[in-house]
């Protein structure tokens, strides 16, 4: 079974925030596939970015995907302490793929809205099922210090509604853009690709023309790149380099 196609997914954390909608449209015109939307709450990670109202404002600048995982997908990377509380708000705002952190899902509430409280806790399987129930794809992310082995039971679950559509392997500590790529995360990617040949495997952090071959060789196919794309004189050329590195290894 061949690997899934390359998906180039620029992170708008590196975009011009004063022209965010236009920036999203620009990178789609330059040839990218998805838009990576970094949501940070100042708790799960030390940085703050923006919330659902901003996603709703930039959504009209990019056509919704014609099919799940198609061109124009808004991949919302939820670096937040209470991921279940915000699923519905981001679905309303135009999120297509809601990617939560495994680590957050272990310790957060089962409440389903920002104003709700609950003594019950959620868990990764419950999160995935809930995201799917609202019509979105589900992604699950792991931080550098988290073993990839925590995902095996989740990915091997016979209940398909509780299986993620994508796994994100962080190649930097989440929270800030512009960090150095952590090549020592690649064994996680390789282990995932060997077990799940058709899975969308995303890498995020420090990806550029100088590191893409390492990630692609390991088996990554969803490539998040922020400053490498938005800071380039020719974004289309960078997008092509990232795509070709993955495609030639399929």
């Amino acid at each position: 079974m061949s690997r899934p196609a390359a998906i180039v997914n620029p992170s708008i954390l590196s975009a011009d925030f004063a022209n965010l909608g236009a920036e999203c449209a620009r990178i789609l015109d330059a040839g990218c596939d998805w838009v990576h939307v970094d949501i940070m709450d100042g708790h799960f990670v030390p940085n703050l970015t923006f919330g659902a109202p901003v996603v709703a404002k930039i959504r009209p600048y990019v056509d919704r995907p014609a099919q799940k995982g198609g061109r124009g997908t808004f991949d919302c990377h939820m670096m937040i302490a209470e991921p279940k509380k915000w699923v519905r708000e981001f679905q309303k705002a135009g999120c297509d793929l809601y990617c939560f952190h495994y680590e957050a899902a272990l310790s957060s509430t089962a409440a389903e809205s920002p104003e709700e409280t609950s003594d019950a806790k959620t868990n990764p399987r419950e999160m995935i099922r809930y995201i799917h129930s609202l019509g979105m794809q589900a992604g699950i992310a792991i931080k550098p210090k988290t073993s990839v082995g925590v995902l095996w039971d989740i990915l091997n679950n016979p209940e398909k509604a509780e299986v993620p559509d994508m796994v994100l392997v962080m190649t930097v500590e989440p929270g800030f853009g512009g960090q150095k790529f952590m090549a020592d995360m690649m064994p996680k990617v390789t282990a995932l690709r060997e077990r799940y040949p058709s899975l969308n495997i995303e890498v995020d952090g420090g990806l550029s023309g100088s590191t893409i071959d390492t990630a692609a060789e390991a088996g990554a196919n969803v490539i998040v790149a922020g400053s490498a794309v938005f800071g380039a004189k020719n974004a289309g050329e960078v997008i092509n380099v990232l795509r070709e590195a993955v495609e030639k290894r399929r």
Side-chain angles (χ1 to χ4, degrees), residues 19-195:
N19 297 286
L20 204 48
E23 286 277 80
C24 292
R26 177 173 73 86
I27 57 166
L28 261 292
D29 289 344
C32 80
D33 303 290
W34 293 2
V35 176
H36 189 80
V37 183
D38 291 294
I39 307 299
M40 306 182 192
D41 65 354
H43 296 283
F44 183 73
V45 293
N47 198 11
L48 280 167
T49 54
F50 41 78
V54 172
V55 175
K57 289 295 185 182
I58 62 176
R59 179 74 262 189
Y61 288 83
V62 176
D63 289 341
R64 297 298 293 262
Q67 66 282 328
K68 289 187 183 298
R71 187 171 186 270
T73 290
F74 267 29
D75 167 24
C76 293
H77 178 194
M78 307 303 295
M79 290 169 274
I80 62 175
E82 296 289 348
K84 194 170 186 185
K85 282 189 172 186
W86 293 96
V87 176
R88 191 175 296 275
E89 291 299 309
F90 277 83
Q91 185 265 341
K92 292 176 183 176
C95 172
D96 301 298
L97 191 160
Y98 190 98
C99 184
F100 66 94
H101 268 266
Y102 167 85
E103 303 86 358
L106 293 180
S107 58
S108 56
T109 178
E112 296 180 358
S113 68
E115 61 275 6
E116 184 182 341
T117 60
S118 173
D119 291 331
K121 298 294 184 183
T122 190
N123 60 67
R125 289 185 178 187
E126 181 182 306
M127 279 290 304
I128 294 163
R129 176 179 286 278
Y130 182 53
I131 293 163
H132 283 154
S133 76
L134 291 178
M136 294 181 289
Q137 289 191 296
I140 187 167
I142 54 173
K143 296 166 77 171
K145 292 180 182 178
T146 300
S147 168
V148 71
V150 303
L151 299 176
W152 300 152
D153 285 348
I154 297 168
L155 290 163
N156 292 335
N157 188 350
E159 183 59 57
K160 296 304 180 186
E162 297 177 354
V163 176
D165 304 285
M166 184 187 77
V167 169
L168 165 54
V169 175
M170 291 301 300
T171 48
V172 298
E173 287 292 342
F176 294 92
Q179 298 183 64
K180 185 179 179 181
F181 175 75
M182 298 170 68
D184 56 344
M185 295 298 106
M186 291 306 96
K188 297 182 185 181
V189 175
T190 300
L192 283 162
R193 182 57 69 210
E194 288 175 350
R195 287 169 172 80

Side-chain angles (χ1 to χ4, degrees), residues 210-225:
S210 63
T211 56
I212 182 58
D213 285 326
T214 301
E217 189 65 35
N221 72 296
V222 184
I223 309 301
V224 178

